[in-house]
Amino acid sequence: RYLLPPSDQGGRGVCWAFATIFLLESQYRANGIEKGFLQPNEYVNFSKQAYAKYLFDKCKEHPDVSPCKHGGFGLKPPQTDDHKIDSIIYFIRDFTELAKAVLPEEVCPYQGTSDSEDVCNGMEEALKSNPIEFKIKSFQAENNIPMTKRLLITKQRPIGLGTPIPDYLFFAPCDNSSYSTLDSCSESQRVKCPEGYTS
């Protein structure tokens, strides 16, 4: 009941939106089959493009909302990269109307290129008459492999998986050394040395 065809995020960093929408799609499908409004060979695709764009727009209006400050989300408009699957719990606390903002894929087909992240021309109109609404009844998290396996077995449905990705920064001189060929040595990328830094 929870299986859906795979989808491709292309070259964009929106795995968080794909994973979140997949959980909603799979729950919708299972519920639909159980209650009889979907056949076993039917499913509905929700728009990942609209979901990411909707949250991007909300965070642009309310930049002080806590989940809007995660990672690089919205830092370089119109960037929708770099968020987390479990952020839906925190987003819906601050943006309660998100419960009615998941739209069918046809409204806003996914654009796999980074120059189209803020494109969703039919979103505003579709939101006015959107029949889809969801609730988060409960939330359970595990942080190790054995307990995650147990959760999969006991729940018997898809779960979201997040993993931290460390980001290491280092400073290199833009002089005649081999570092001078780095892209970061272009004028637009140069930064001041941190306080106390010595070469």
Side-chain angles (χ1 to χ4, degrees), residues 3 62 79 83-84 114 117 133 171 175 179 181 190:
L3 293 176
H62 308 280
Q79 182 172 308
H83 226 291
K84 306 182 301 171
S114 58
E117 292 191 40
E133 184 175 359
F171 294 87
D175 53 19
Y179 293 122
T181 59
R190 290 188 186 204

Side-chain angles (χ1 to χ4, degrees), residues 55-118:
L55 290 174
F56 174 81
D57 289 349
K58 285 292 180 187
C59 285
K60 204 159 68 167
E61 292 171 31
H62 308 280
D64 293 333
V65 167
S66 180
C68 293
K69 297 176 182 178
H70 175 80
F73 185 71
L75 286 183
K76 290 190 256 174
Q79 182 172 308
T80 54
D81 292 1
D82 193 13
H83 226 291
K84 306 182 301 171
I85 184 172
D86 58 314
S87 292
I88 191 169
I89 296 155
Y90 308 105
F91 274 129
I92 205 164
R93 287 178 188 166
D94 288 295
F95 308 132
T96 54
E97 63 276 21
L98 175 61
K100 297 182 179 181
V102 173
L103 298 165
E105 178 72 15
E106 294 74 30
V107 170
C108 205
Y110 181 68
Q111 309 285 320
T113 57
S114 58
D115 61 347
S116 55
E117 292 191 40
D118 64 342

Side-chain angles (χ1 to χ4, degrees), residues 141-154:
E142 299 297 348
N143 59 11
N144 63 51
I145 292 171
M147 293 307 291
T148 301
K149 287 179 178 179
R150 185 185 300 265
L151 187 62
L152 271 169
I153 291 165
T154 56

Side-chain angles (χ1 to χ4, degrees), residues 26-55:
S26 62
Q27 293 294 317
Y28 186 85
R29 181 170 192 262
N31 191 43
I33 291 170
E34 188 179 307
K35 294 187 175 160
F37 62 84
L38 287 177
Q39 296 301 313
N41 63 344
E42 292 180 313
Y43 61 92
V44 177
N45 277 339
F46 298 148
S47 175
K48 295 91 174 164
Q49 182 88 3
Y51 178 70
K53 162 87 167 124
Y54 180 86
L55 290 174

